[in-house]
Amino acid sequence: EEGVTVIENDGTLRQRIVEYVKHKRSSEMCNKMKFCALGVFVASIFFLVVVGVTTPLIKYECDSKPHYTTPVQNELIKFSKEYQITLDVKHISDRSDFVESWVKEWNKASKYIQLETESLVEATRTQFYLNASLCHSDQEFRVRYFDSGDEVASLDLKSSESSKSTCNDPFWPHDAYVENSTQKCELDRHDSGFEKYSRITKIHLDEVRMFNTCADLASYFPWAFDDLRPYEWHVPVAINEKRQVQHWWSGEIKGKEQGVKYKLESSLRYHTPEEREEQSTPSLGELSVRIFTKHGGHSEDWNEKLVKDVENAYEALVHKF
């Protein structure tokens, strides 16, 4: 009734306070859950965006790695040793006399390999080197155009290191050029005492061809360009100006002894084709002796007796020339 004051007992007041506290906590918890749900939602969206962006990048990175297997072409690699002499060219004025002199000295020093000047095969060539650095390659690409001799042109790829591991470089030619190619793992010894291993692949061409872009080179040696991307195929390849365009004459004698292949070659470089034709004093010269392993080079077994004989005769030429 009006004017009547209702006094709650302690139990009723305590119950209302408890209910108020529960309601307050429930409201705060609800708000926290809302904020939590919002945070989870935002985090989920961010995660999906990150996954969506990075997955293609990861896939691209994985796909960019080479997936090739080693071709059976490794069975075609020949093993050889080449002994080189840098010539004192100021005394060379007649090539025929020069050839006769080194053949004579060789025959005096070698017990097993006897040479005849009539077996000499001559050739002249123009050669230059290509700079493929913009194609992600620091290897040596050499082009040769032959002015005379049995060959027309060639393209070779070479790496050199002090370790034999360089012979594992992926310098296999494209399948279309395998039959017209030669591959070597060679130990080079210079008259200075310096030694190195070289991995060399040469493709023999039936016509003069131009190599203007990265794609031109990669079409011959596809495995050597695993870092090359499609958008770089048309990047230009330039002649290595530091190596210059070179004009050479060469004369070689090759054969077999005790089933082992060998080749001796004298090479003379001239400033111009005209100087080469006139047999002027060369600007540079090299005399080299190459010997292969047993089975035509397709093994790693050497005829040690023949190797020793070649090395003795080589040392005799070093002292003479």
Side-chain angles (χ1 to χ4, degrees):
E1 309 224 334
E2 187 177 352
V4 178
T5 300
V6 180
I7 301 175
E8 298 184 62
N9 59 37
D10 292 342
T12 303
L13 180 61
R14 188 182 302 110
Q15 182 178 358
R16 292 185 62 184
I17 292 172
V18 169
E19 289 177 356
Y20 172 78
V21 171
K22 285 183 178 179
H23 172 74
K24 186 72 173 176
R25 287 182 177 177
S26 176
S27 298
E28 291 176 353
M29 183 64 69
C30 183
N31 289 334
K32 288 182 180 179
M33 289 181 66
K34 288 179 180 179
F35 282 117
C36 262
L38 180 61
V40 170
F41 176 75
V42 172
S44 299
I45 294 297
F46 177 76
F47 176 75
L48 291 174
V49 170
V50 170
V51 170
V53 171
T54 57
T55 298
L57 293 177
I58 294 172
K59 184 177 186 300
Y60 173 80
E61 181 65 23
C62 292
D63 290 345
S64 69
K65 301 300 181 183
H67 291 129
Y68 58 76
T69 55
T70 302
V72 294
Q73 291 182 33
N74 268 14
E75 300 173 0
L76 304 178
I77 298 176
K78 297 180 180 180
F79 294 88
S80 61
K81 293 181 180 180
E82 184 182 30
Y83 305 86
Q84 301 178 18
I85 302 172
T86 300
L87 298 169
D88 182 359
V89 295
K90 64 177 178 288
H91 301 297
I92 301 175
S93 57
D94 183 277
R95 289 197 289 260
S96 297
D97 291 343
F98 168 64
V99 169
E100 288 182 5
S101 65
W102 68 256
V103 168
K104 179 180 178 180
E105 292 299 324
W106 175 271
N107 288 340
K108 284 167 53 178
S110 175
K111 295 180 181 179
Y112 303 111
I113 298 177
Q114 294 296 296
L115 308 175
E116 296 181 357
T117 54
E118 292 78 9
S119 302
L120 186 81
V121 177
E122 298 182 69
T124 57
R125 67 180 186 269
T126 298
Q127 72 178 38
F128 54 89
Y129 297 83
L130 298 175
N131 183 352
S133 59
L134 295 180
C135 310
H136 309 292
S137 174
D138 58 356
Q139 306 300 346
E140 181 179 291
F141 291 87
R142 180 176 60 184
V143 180
R144 286 177 167 178
Y145 298 146
F146 291 87
D147 308 299
S148 65
D150 297 332
E151 287 194 78
V152 177
S154 66
L155 169 66
D156 57 64
L157 173 56
K158 178 180 179 180
S159 65
S160 298
E161 298 287 347
S162 58
S163 170
K164 192 178 179 180
S165 61
T166 194
C167 291
N168 297 325
D169 285 342
F171 290 176
W172 312 291
H174 188 284
D175 290 347
Y177 305 108
V178 171
E179 292 185 2
N180 296 323
S181 68
T182 55
Q183 302 185 54
K184 287 187 301 187
C185 171
E186 187 165 80
L187 174 62
D188 297 324
R189 177 182 297 179
H190 297 257
D191 50 1
S192 63
F194 175 71
E195 291 187 354
K196 60 180 173 61
Y197 285 92
S198 296
R199 168 74 159 103
I200 311 165
T201 299
K202 177 183 289 187
I203 298 177
H204 305 274
L205 306 172
D206 56 4
E207 62 181 359
V208 172
R209 300 183 189 180
M210 305 302 293
F211 308 95
N212 299 317
T213 66
C214 295
D216 290 337
L217 290 177
S219 64
Y220 288 90
F221 297 104
W223 287 277
F225 292 93
D226 58 281
D227 290 328
L228 188 66
R229 298 290 170 259
Y231 61 83
E232 298 171 314
W233 286 346
H234 298 294
V235 171
V237 173
I239 293 177
N240 188 334
E241 297 297 338
K242 293 182 179 179
R243 303 296 295 271
Q244 303 176 339
V245 176
Q246 304 171 3
H247 309 283
W248 290 84
W249 168 91
S250 65
E252 66 176 42
I253 302 174
K254 58 184 179 180
K256 281 186 178 182
E257 176 61 35
Q258 300 177 26
V260 174
K261 294 171 60 178
Y262 65 84
K263 183 174 80 170
L264 286 84
E265 181 176 16
S266 52
S267 301
L268 304 175
R269 177 179 167 183
Y270 297 86
H271 292 294
T272 65
E274 291 75 23
E275 288 187 4
R276 182 179 61 196
E277 186 68 23
E278 296 167 359
Q279 295 200 36
S280 302
T281 301
S283 61
L284 190 69
E286 180 184 279
L287 184 58
S288 66
V289 184
R290 179 176 286 118
I291 185 172
F292 291 84
T293 57
K294 296 178 181 179
H295 308 295
H298 296 295
S299 76
E300 295 193 53
D301 297 325
W302 297 92
N303 183 323
E304 297 296 344
K305 182 173 65 174
L306 204 56
V307 169
K308 184 65 175 177
D309 180 67
V310 165
E311 291 182 346
N312 289 338
Y314 165 72
E315 291 298 332
L317 292 183
V318 169
H319 289 101
K320 185 68 177 180
F321 298 98

